[in-house]
Amino acid sequence: MPDRSDAATAAIVRSGPVRYATTERFGAPRPARASAGESSGQLCPQLPGRLASVMGIPKTALPQSEDCLNLAIASPRLDGRRPVMVFLHGGAFASGGGLLDWYDGSALAADGDVVVVSVNYRLGALGYLCLDGVSEGNLGLLDQLEALRWVQRNIADYGGDPTNVTVFGQSAGAVSIWLLMQMPAARGLFRRAIMQSGPGADIARPRQPAEAIGALFAELLGEDPRTATVTALLEAQKRTVATLTQTGATAMPAFYPTSGTEAGCTLGDSITQHVSGIDVICGWNADDVSAFTGSGSHVAAATNHLLAVPTTELAAQLNAAGAHASTYRLDWRPTGSAFGATHCLELPLLLGTRQAWEPCPMLGNTSWDQVESFGRPLRQVWGHFAHTGEIHTAAAESIPLQWNPPLTGAS
């Protein structure tokens, strides 16, 4: 078992992959039967991710299949009742998977004394296509909801407390959490949340443009999406993205959560009853947008506009609705990196192993010892929050992390 050169981490019990649900193509997820047993560990079929130049490439090439509703668990022990932290990965709702080595929760489980669950969900057209008579969209969100229900039913068997669940996610995973907060069906499935680098200004796509993108996808596919091969679906998805990029039709990913669907992803006054009493951390990295635009004088203002301002406003909205929200900004800039405090930079501090993350362009030539010098206290901060809903100030002070920072730069 890979570890972070720490005896406590090496002692973590890692379970899975476990199948938490089953489904047919474009169907709602159904709870997996107990007799289904462990899965074979597939990821959702996907095109290559767009941040390989920043994050690197996953070291282990996992198989891909539509039978992808799997999760993995890292626990200090299989007895007791520890807080549970459920991780939702990023990837613009088009790539990634909770089973990737990057998202191994062993170090967080050890340093935070928590049970960590990392979740796969459907991506791209398979998860977010809106096409009349084929898919209502937001299937990936329904997958996440079903994973949280699995946690409620089963996590006690892994030493977790189903009454104390923190859901945390980065980028698309953070957007997912904001939408889950607005879903009546998710009420009571988690009591705390951490949203890393998202959501930004755009939370969900309106139904009409989502249906227009679905129609374009169907036209480019040229056959019934319900029976087409996975290869054909991915090729049509690729062509849809290229067409939208060429025409400048949208700045959002082609396949994205949609408002006004059966998943209940709408904004409005009803949020008050769903977030009251929830503890929340939401934040961004100081140079977040450099992952997409490169370095330059524009980065501070663009990060402020696209992430800092919306995140600060989101926290204010949550607090007004009865939640308890704090914001942060990660200022760490690894030596030898052209990206600074970029998108995804906190991930190797929280999850994965040295083996998984080296080499990694966004870490530059920073030694793994220095990564750990910030990673261990950050994991303690996240773990303490899962235990108490409060910020572990002593650990936080050893990280270049600013709490409730004032906004800077042009908006």
Side-chain angles (χ1 to χ4, degrees):
M1 177 184 73
D3 58 48
R4 295 179 77 119
S5 301
D6 185 281
T9 303
I12 292 296
V13 179
R14 299 171 71 221
S15 303
V18 174
R19 181 182 290 107
Y20 66 84
T22 60
T23 189
E24 288 82 35
R25 182 182 292 181
F26 302 126
R30 301 182 304 273
R33 300 187 309 273
S35 59
E38 292 194 349
S39 77
S40 57
Q42 299 97 333
L43 302 181
C44 182
Q46 59 192 265
L47 298 167
R50 58 179 178 166
L51 291 183
S53 63
V54 178
M55 298 177 68
I57 299 172
K59 304 301 184 295
T60 302
L62 296 178
Q64 298 182 10
S65 164
E66 291 184 74
D67 178 21
C68 62
L69 302 185
N70 311 307
L71 53 79
I73 305 147
S75 177
R77 293 173 60 92
L78 298 184
D79 59 1
R81 288 174 65 87
R82 291 171 177 80
V84 181
M85 300 191 70
V86 179
F87 179 68
L88 303 177
H89 68 84
F93 297 98
S95 65
L99 300 188
L100 291 172
D101 290 348
W102 283 335
Y103 307 133
D104 181 341
S106 297
L108 179 57
D111 291 330
D113 192 30
V114 294
V115 177
V116 180
V117 180
S118 302
V119 177
N120 284 354
Y121 54 92
R122 279 175 286 180
L123 304 166
L126 290 167
Y128 295 94
L129 175 67
C130 278
L131 186 61
D132 189 41
V134 175
S135 174
E136 289 294 308
N138 290 345
L139 296 173
L141 287 174
L142 295 182
D143 296 341
Q144 296 166 5
L145 188 66
E146 198 57 52
L148 289 170
R149 289 172 175 149
W150 184 94
V151 167
Q152 291 295 305
R153 295 191 305 269
N154 298 285
I155 204 62
D157 294 338
Y158 299 87
D161 181 356
T163 70
N164 188 2
V165 175
T166 297
V167 60
F168 71 120
Q170 185 266 345
S171 194
V175 174
S176 298
I177 292 169
W178 176 233
L179 295 173
L180 286 167
M181 286 181 179
Q182 300 165 60
M183 297 170 63
R187 181 66 173 168
L189 295 180
F190 57 92
R191 64 189 294 185
R192 300 189 174 101
I194 305 174
M195 293 181 279
Q196 303 162 204
S197 294
D202 296 315
I203 305 301
R205 176 179 280 121
R207 180 74 183 186
Q208 186 173 355
E211 290 178 338
I213 292 173
L216 172 63
F217 170 83
E219 179 184 351
L220 294 172
L221 178 64
E223 56 182 305
D224 189 338
R226 292 166 294 191
T227 56
T229 65
V230 168
T231 300
L233 292 176
L234 290 177
E235 179 59 29
Q237 181 176 314
K238 182 178 180 180
R239 294 174 64 192
T240 301
V241 171
T243 300
L244 294 173
T245 301
Q246 291 167 2
T247 61
T250 177
M252 300 168 74
F255 299 97
Y256 199 81
T258 304
S259 61
T261 73
E262 66 180 27
C265 298
T266 55
L267 305 179
D269 294 338
S270 63
I271 186 177
T272 302
Q273 68 187 81
H274 302 311
V275 303
S276 179
I278 293 179
D279 302 315
V280 181
I281 292 173
C282 48
W284 65 95
N285 300 341
D287 306 311
D288 235 306
V289 304
S290 67
F292 309 100
T293 67
S295 60
S297 59
H298 66 284
V299 168
T303 297
N304 196 61
H305 174 67
L306 295 172
L307 281 155
V309 169
T311 300
T312 302
E313 292 175 347
L314 180 151
Q317 184 179 359
L318 286 168
N319 284 325
H324 311 289
S326 299
T327 60
Y328 72 86
R329 185 187 70 227
L330 177 66
D331 293 337
W332 178 47
R333 295 179 171 93
T335 58
S337 170
F339 300 103
T342 195
H343 200 64
C344 303
L345 184 63
E346 80 282 9
L347 292 175
L349 302 179
L350 292 167
L351 300 164
T353 64
R354 179 175 188 163
Q355 180 181 1
W357 285 110
E358 289 188 339
C360 175
M362 66 183 173
L363 292 177
N365 56 22
T366 300
S367 70
W368 190 252
D369 286 344
Q370 179 155 14
V371 173
E372 282 295 86
S373 73
F374 295 140
R376 184 167 287 109
L378 184 61
R379 295 191 294 270
Q380 291 171 347
V381 171
W382 262 221
H384 184 79
F385 177 77
H387 278 269
T388 67
E390 299 176 349
I391 306 301
H392 189 320
T393 54
E397 288 173 355
S398 63
I399 314 166
L401 199 70
Q402 304 300 317
W403 291 100
N404 300 313
L407 297 176
T408 59
S411 62

